[in-house]
Short mmCIF file of all heavy atoms in Angstrom, two decimals:
data_model
loop_
_atom_site.label_atom_id
_atom_site.label_comp_id
_atom_site.label_asym_id
_atom_site.label_seq_id
_atom_site.Cartn_x
_atom_site.Cartn_y
_atom_site.Cartn_z
N LEU L 63 6.60 4.43 6.41
CA LEU L 63 5.83 5.68 6.06
C LEU L 63 5.94 6.59 7.20
O LEU L 63 5.00 7.40 7.43
CB LEU L 63 4.32 5.27 5.86
CG LEU L 63 4.06 4.25 4.67
CD1 LEU L 63 2.59 4.07 4.50
CD2 LEU L 63 4.68 4.73 3.32
N GLY L 64 7.00 6.53 7.88
CA GLY L 64 7.26 7.57 9.04
C GLY L 64 6.49 7.26 10.22
O GLY L 64 7.04 6.60 11.06
N ILE L 65 5.25 7.73 10.36
CA ILE L 65 4.49 7.37 11.51
C ILE L 65 3.96 6.05 11.56
O ILE L 65 3.45 5.45 12.52
CB ILE L 65 3.26 8.39 11.68
CG1 ILE L 65 2.23 8.19 10.48
CG2 ILE L 65 3.68 9.82 11.80
CD1 ILE L 65 0.95 9.01 10.68
N ALA L 66 4.13 5.32 10.44
CA ALA L 66 3.57 3.90 10.32
C ALA L 66 4.41 3.13 9.42
O ALA L 66 5.13 3.68 8.54
CB ALA L 66 2.22 3.87 10.02
N GLN L 67 4.35 1.83 9.52
CA GLN L 67 5.06 0.90 8.65
C GLN L 67 3.98 -0.13 8.13
O GLN L 67 3.13 -0.45 8.81
CB GLN L 67 6.22 0.09 9.31
CG GLN L 67 7.37 0.95 9.67
CD GLN L 67 7.18 1.78 10.96
OE1 GLN L 67 6.63 1.39 11.89
NE2 GLN L 67 7.51 3.06 10.85
N VAL L 68 4.22 -0.61 6.93
CA VAL L 68 3.29 -1.60 6.31
C VAL L 68 4.10 -2.72 5.82
O VAL L 68 5.14 -2.57 5.17
CB VAL L 68 2.44 -0.88 5.32
CG1 VAL L 68 3.16 -0.35 4.13
CG2 VAL L 68 1.43 -1.97 4.71
N TYR L 69 3.63 -3.84 6.02
CA TYR L 69 4.26 -5.14 5.59
C TYR L 69 3.26 -5.96 4.77
O TYR L 69 2.31 -6.33 5.22
CB TYR L 69 4.81 -5.98 6.76
CG TYR L 69 5.40 -7.23 6.28
CD1 TYR L 69 6.58 -7.35 5.62
CD2 TYR L 69 4.74 -8.47 6.68
CE1 TYR L 69 7.05 -8.52 5.12
CE2 TYR L 69 5.24 -9.67 6.30
CZ TYR L 69 6.39 -9.70 5.53
OH TYR L 69 6.96 -11.01 5.17
N PHE L 70 3.71 -6.29 3.57
CA PHE L 70 2.82 -7.22 2.60
C PHE L 70 3.63 -8.56 2.49
O PHE L 70 4.65 -8.56 2.01
CB PHE L 70 2.69 -6.62 1.38
CG PHE L 70 1.96 -5.34 1.24
CD1 PHE L 70 2.70 -4.07 1.04
CD2 PHE L 70 0.63 -5.16 1.60
CE1 PHE L 70 2.09 -2.80 0.96
CE2 PHE L 70 -0.05 -3.89 1.48
CZ PHE L 70 0.70 -2.72 1.25
N PRO L 71 3.03 -9.62 3.08
CA PRO L 71 3.73 -10.95 2.85
C PRO L 71 3.75 -11.35 1.31
O PRO L 71 2.93 -10.66 0.55
CB PRO L 71 2.76 -11.91 3.59
CG PRO L 71 2.10 -11.10 4.63
CD PRO L 71 1.96 -9.76 3.91
N ALA L 72 4.51 -12.18 0.95
CA ALA L 72 4.54 -12.60 -0.45
C ALA L 72 3.13 -13.14 -0.83
O ALA L 72 2.39 -13.76 0.04
CB ALA L 72 5.45 -13.71 -0.65
N ASN L 73 2.57 -12.81 -1.98
CA ASN L 73 1.36 -13.27 -2.53
C ASN L 73 0.11 -12.59 -1.79
O ASN L 73 -1.00 -13.17 -1.85
CB ASN L 73 1.25 -14.73 -2.54
CG ASN L 73 2.25 -15.48 -3.39
OD1 ASN L 73 2.44 -15.18 -4.50
ND2 ASN L 73 2.95 -16.36 -2.73
N THR L 74 0.40 -11.48 -1.19
CA THR L 74 -0.80 -10.72 -0.69
C THR L 74 -1.67 -10.19 -1.83
O THR L 74 -2.78 -10.21 -1.79
CB THR L 74 -0.23 -9.35 0.04
OG1 THR L 74 0.57 -9.72 1.10
CG2 THR L 74 -1.48 -8.56 0.52
N PHE L 75 -1.06 -9.89 -3.04
CA PHE L 75 -1.72 -9.35 -4.20
C PHE L 75 -1.65 -10.49 -5.33
O PHE L 75 -0.71 -11.28 -5.36
CB PHE L 75 -1.25 -8.09 -4.61
CG PHE L 75 -1.34 -7.02 -3.52
CD1 PHE L 75 -0.21 -6.63 -2.81
CD2 PHE L 75 -2.51 -6.35 -3.22
CE1 PHE L 75 -0.29 -5.65 -1.77
CE2 PHE L 75 -2.63 -5.50 -2.27
CZ PHE L 75 -1.57 -5.09 -1.56
N TYR L 76 -2.52 -10.32 -6.26
CA TYR L 76 -2.59 -11.25 -7.36
C TYR L 76 -1.65 -10.90 -8.49
O TYR L 76 -1.04 -11.80 -9.05
CB TYR L 76 -3.99 -11.26 -8.07
CG TYR L 76 -5.00 -11.78 -6.97
CD1 TYR L 76 -5.88 -10.83 -6.48
CD2 TYR L 76 -5.14 -13.09 -6.54
CE1 TYR L 76 -6.90 -11.16 -5.64
CE2 TYR L 76 -6.05 -13.33 -5.66
CZ TYR L 76 -7.02 -12.44 -5.19
OH TYR L 76 -8.00 -12.83 -4.30
N GLU L 77 -1.32 -9.56 -8.67
CA GLU L 77 -0.52 -9.06 -9.72
C GLU L 77 0.43 -8.03 -9.26
O GLU L 77 0.12 -7.29 -8.31
CB GLU L 77 -1.28 -8.68 -10.87
CG GLU L 77 -2.17 -9.75 -11.51
CD GLU L 77 -3.07 -9.26 -12.72
OE1 GLU L 77 -2.42 -8.91 -13.67
OE2 GLU L 77 -4.27 -9.15 -12.58
N ASP L 78 1.54 -7.78 -10.03
CA ASP L 78 2.48 -6.70 -9.77
C ASP L 78 1.83 -5.41 -10.03
O ASP L 78 1.03 -5.36 -11.01
CB ASP L 78 3.71 -6.80 -10.58
CG ASP L 78 4.46 -8.06 -10.41
OD1 ASP L 78 4.27 -8.71 -9.39
OD2 ASP L 78 5.39 -8.45 -11.22
N PHE L 79 2.14 -4.32 -9.42
CA PHE L 79 1.51 -3.06 -9.71
C PHE L 79 2.30 -1.91 -8.95
O PHE L 79 3.13 -2.23 -8.05
CB PHE L 79 0.04 -2.90 -9.23
CG PHE L 79 -0.26 -2.92 -7.81
CD1 PHE L 79 -0.43 -1.76 -7.06
CD2 PHE L 79 -0.06 -4.12 -7.00
CE1 PHE L 79 -0.77 -1.75 -5.74
CE2 PHE L 79 -0.38 -4.16 -5.67
CZ PHE L 79 -0.72 -2.85 -5.02
N TYR L 80 2.09 -0.71 -9.50
CA TYR L 80 2.78 0.46 -8.88
C TYR L 80 1.80 0.91 -7.64
O TYR L 80 0.66 1.22 -7.88
CB TYR L 80 2.79 1.64 -9.84
CG TYR L 80 3.93 1.51 -10.88
CD1 TYR L 80 3.69 0.92 -12.14
CD2 TYR L 80 5.31 1.81 -10.61
CE1 TYR L 80 4.65 0.80 -13.07
CE2 TYR L 80 6.32 1.68 -11.41
CZ TYR L 80 5.89 1.16 -12.71
OH TYR L 80 6.96 0.96 -13.66
N ILE L 81 2.40 0.73 -6.50
CA ILE L 81 1.53 1.17 -5.31
C ILE L 81 1.80 2.60 -4.83
O ILE L 81 2.88 3.11 -4.94
CB ILE L 81 1.92 -0.01 -4.19
CG1 ILE L 81 0.96 0.37 -2.90
CG2 ILE L 81 3.40 0.31 -3.67
CD1 ILE L 81 1.13 -0.74 -1.85
N ASP L 82 0.70 3.14 -4.54
CA ASP L 82 0.73 4.48 -4.20
C ASP L 82 0.75 4.65 -2.68
O ASP L 82 -0.32 4.22 -1.96
CB ASP L 82 -0.60 5.31 -4.75
CG ASP L 82 -0.59 6.74 -4.46
OD1 ASP L 82 0.48 7.36 -4.10
OD2 ASP L 82 -1.62 7.38 -4.66
N LEU L 83 1.80 5.13 -2.04
CA LEU L 83 2.00 5.36 -0.63
C LEU L 83 2.20 6.80 -0.27
O LEU L 83 3.04 7.47 -0.79
CB LEU L 83 3.13 4.45 -0.24
CG LEU L 83 3.11 2.95 -0.43
CD1 LEU L 83 4.47 2.43 -0.26
CD2 LEU L 83 2.04 2.31 0.35
N ARG L 84 1.34 7.21 0.66
CA ARG L 84 1.50 8.60 1.09
C ARG L 84 1.43 8.77 2.54
O ARG L 84 0.74 8.05 3.26
CB ARG L 84 0.19 9.54 0.37
CG ARG L 84 0.20 9.33 -1.00
CD ARG L 84 -0.93 10.18 -1.58
NE ARG L 84 -1.17 10.02 -3.05
CZ ARG L 84 -2.13 10.43 -3.73
NH1 ARG L 84 -2.99 11.35 -3.05
NH2 ARG L 84 -2.25 10.26 -5.02
N GLN L 85 2.11 9.78 3.08
CA GLN L 85 2.16 10.09 4.46
C GLN L 85 1.64 11.45 4.77
O GLN L 85 2.01 12.53 4.18
CB GLN L 85 3.53 10.06 5.05
CG GLN L 85 3.63 10.42 6.52
CD GLN L 85 5.10 10.42 7.00
OE1 GLN L 85 6.05 9.90 6.38
NE2 GLN L 85 5.27 10.94 8.21
N GLY L 86 0.48 11.52 5.44
CA GLY L 86 0.04 12.85 5.89
C GLY L 86 0.49 13.22 7.30
O GLY L 86 1.46 12.52 7.91
N ASP L 87 -0.06 14.16 7.96
CA ASP L 87 0.37 14.67 9.20
C ASP L 87 0.13 13.62 10.27
O ASP L 87 0.87 13.34 11.15
CB ASP L 87 -0.31 16.03 9.56
CG ASP L 87 0.08 17.17 8.81
OD1 ASP L 87 1.28 17.16 8.29
OD2 ASP L 87 -0.56 18.15 8.64
N ASP L 88 -1.09 13.04 10.27
CA ASP L 88 -1.43 11.84 11.12
C ASP L 88 -2.15 10.78 10.41
O ASP L 88 -2.77 9.97 11.07
CB ASP L 88 -2.42 12.46 12.26
CG ASP L 88 -3.52 13.19 11.67
OD1 ASP L 88 -3.84 13.09 10.47
OD2 ASP L 88 -4.34 13.73 12.47
N THR L 89 -1.87 10.68 9.17
CA THR L 89 -2.53 9.56 8.37
C THR L 89 -1.50 8.93 7.47
O THR L 89 -0.44 9.52 7.15
CB THR L 89 -3.67 10.05 7.57
OG1 THR L 89 -3.23 11.07 6.57
CG2 THR L 89 -4.86 10.67 8.36
N VAL L 90 -1.75 7.75 7.12
CA VAL L 90 -1.00 6.96 6.00
C VAL L 90 -1.98 6.54 5.06
O VAL L 90 -2.92 5.92 5.32
CB VAL L 90 -0.17 5.91 6.49
CG1 VAL L 90 0.95 6.57 7.40
CG2 VAL L 90 -0.83 4.99 7.29
N THR L 91 -1.71 6.75 3.76
CA THR L 91 -2.58 6.27 2.69
C THR L 91 -1.88 5.14 2.01
O THR L 91 -0.78 5.38 1.42
CB THR L 91 -2.95 7.33 1.64
OG1 THR L 91 -3.75 8.32 2.39
CG2 THR L 91 -3.81 6.78 0.53
N ILE L 92 -2.44 4.03 1.96
CA ILE L 92 -1.81 2.85 1.37
C ILE L 92 -2.71 2.46 0.10
O ILE L 92 -3.71 1.74 0.08
CB ILE L 92 -1.86 1.55 2.39
CG1 ILE L 92 -1.07 2.06 3.65
CG2 ILE L 92 -1.21 0.43 1.71
CD1 ILE L 92 -1.34 1.06 4.72
N HIS L 93 -2.29 3.10 -1.01
CA HIS L 93 -2.93 2.91 -2.36
C HIS L 93 -4.44 3.20 -2.14
O HIS L 93 -4.76 4.22 -1.55
CB HIS L 93 -2.67 1.49 -2.88
CG HIS L 93 -2.79 1.39 -4.33
ND1 HIS L 93 -1.83 1.92 -5.09
CD2 HIS L 93 -3.73 0.92 -5.21
CE1 HIS L 93 -2.13 1.66 -6.42
NE2 HIS L 93 -3.22 1.02 -6.41
N ASN L 94 -5.29 2.37 -2.83
CA ASN L 94 -6.64 2.68 -2.74
C ASN L 94 -7.50 1.27 -2.93
O ASN L 94 -6.75 0.30 -3.24
CB ASN L 94 -7.12 3.72 -3.88
CG ASN L 94 -6.75 3.33 -5.23
OD1 ASN L 94 -7.15 2.24 -5.72
ND2 ASN L 94 -5.94 4.11 -5.86
N SER L 95 -8.80 1.36 -2.86
CA SER L 95 -9.64 0.11 -2.87
C SER L 95 -9.76 -0.50 -4.17
O SER L 95 -10.40 -1.47 -4.34
CB SER L 95 -11.03 0.48 -2.31
OG SER L 95 -11.68 1.45 -3.17
N THR L 96 -9.05 0.01 -5.25
CA THR L 96 -9.32 -0.54 -6.59
C THR L 96 -8.35 -1.85 -6.79
O THR L 96 -8.50 -2.52 -7.82
CB THR L 96 -8.93 0.33 -7.61
OG1 THR L 96 -7.57 0.73 -7.60
CG2 THR L 96 -9.75 1.58 -7.56
N VAL L 97 -7.53 -2.19 -5.87
CA VAL L 97 -6.72 -3.38 -5.94
C VAL L 97 -7.12 -4.38 -4.85
O VAL L 97 -7.04 -3.99 -3.54
CB VAL L 97 -5.12 -3.09 -5.90
CG1 VAL L 97 -4.43 -4.36 -5.82
CG2 VAL L 97 -4.76 -2.14 -7.01
N PRO L 98 -7.42 -5.71 -5.11
CA PRO L 98 -7.85 -6.53 -4.12
C PRO L 98 -6.58 -7.27 -3.49
O PRO L 98 -5.68 -7.56 -4.17
CB PRO L 98 -8.69 -7.54 -4.90
CG PRO L 98 -8.00 -7.56 -6.26
CD PRO L 98 -7.61 -6.19 -6.56
#
């Protein structure tokens, strides 16, 4: 994500989904709290 990287090990989540990833000037948004 430019200023940051994110790594999800296998089985971090319960189901497949479209993940929303966004890069701001000094922030990174990694989806939202609706996915456990």
